[in-house]
Amino acid sequence: MSGDPPPDRSAAPRPDRVDPLSDLGTIALVGLMGSGKSSVGRRLARALGLPFHDADAEIEKAAGRSVADIFAERGEAEFRRGERKVIARLLSGPAHVLATGGGAFLDAHTRALLKDKALVVWLQADLATLVQRVSRRTTRPLLVGKNAREVLEAQMAQRHPIYAEAELTIDAGRGSHGDAVEAIVAALRGPRRTAA
Ligand code: S3P
């Protein structure tokens, strides 16, 4: 067979030509209230051609009442139970972009599941931006009747070390939601740290 021509490899896929965005699986956004998880998530889903799910909206659908009403009528523990269930269900489905509620990644079980089944992105934002953004909506149960700056400052101290377990951290502060989407897409195209 020494006379055979060399195989033509011109049509074979080359690893450097594979689009790094084509097979990412589910992307989950975590971060404090006001970090833009839902708005950025919706735009990111559009940019990646994936469906979008908002965990809080799914919890509301499943419970037939608003997050505020669940907190008021059934308490936070019951909300967290629903949150755990809904996120597990969404993560068992097809690839999508998932906006989680600010407390979801704090739950050890949900955190482990998110890290296992999704690429977790932390939308990090500065306190002034968060305070300004949460002031647009008055229904967040953890902020009703409270000083938003104080609550968010305390949550930063408690939650930032946990959000830092995300695979990617994106500055979602002073820039627009579009800037955050661009930063995520650029980071997804680049090298990522392997799961801890
Ligand atoms: C919460 C954040 C809310 C919602 C609930 C609890 C939290 O979602 O899940 O009020 O613990 O930070 P957003 O982060 O979308 O506001």
Side-chain angles (χ1 to χ4, degrees):
M1 301 290 244
S2 57
D4 285 353
D8 175 13
R9 297 195 195 280
S10 58
R14 288 173 37 182
D16 59 337
R17 294 268 176 86
V18 173
D19 181 353
L21 302 183
S22 64
D23 194 20
L24 288 167
T26 291
I27 297 171
L29 305 183
V30 303
L32 289 173
M33 293 180 278
S35 57
K37 301 177 296 289
S38 301
S39 309
V40 170
R42 201 166 287 117
R43 282 164 174 259
L44 178 66
R46 225 178 296 136
L48 297 176
L50 288 173
F52 171 72
H53 293 295
D54 183 297
D56 279 353
E58 296 287 336
I59 295 163
E60 292 183 331
K61 221 191 289 172
R65 62 196 72 207
S66 68
V67 168
D69 285 348
I70 301 171
F71 266 73
E73 293 164 18
R74 301 179 178 178
E76 179 170 351
E78 186 59 29
F79 171 79
R80 297 296 176 199
R81 258 192 294 282
E83 182 172 55
R84 213 174 297 142
K85 259 210 242 164
V86 160
I87 291 179
R89 170 171 58 76
L90 291 170
L91 289 175
S92 72
H96 61 281
V97 174
L98 173 63
T100 65
F105 202 55
L106 278 292
D107 179 88
H109 177 80
T110 300
R111 184 162 69 252
L113 207 57
L114 282 163
K115 287 162 85 173
D116 182 40
K117 304 263 188 227
L119 194 162
V120 181
V121 180
W122 173 21
L123 299 188
Q124 188 175 21
D126 58 281
L127 183 60
T129 301
L130 294 174
V131 171
Q132 192 220 328
R133 289 196 188 138
V134 298
S135 70
R136 293 183 203 141
R137 182 143 67 82
T138 55
T139 53
R140 285 186 171 93
L142 297 181
L143 297 178
V144 172
K146 305 240 171 72
N147 178 310
R149 174 176 293 272
E150 283 172 15
V151 172
L152 286 163
E153 204 167 15
Q155 286 191 344
M156 274 185 164
Q158 185 212 356
R159 296 179 173 188
H160 274 195
I162 298 171
Y163 293 144
E165 292 182 32
E167 194 172 338
L168 280 177
T169 299
I170 295 296
D171 179 2
R174 298 189 187 278
S176 68
H177 291 327
D179 292 338
V181 171
E182 273 181 31
I184 294 170
V185 170
L188 293 175
R189 285 191 189 283
R192 289 192 301 280
R193 115 160 100 103
T194 47

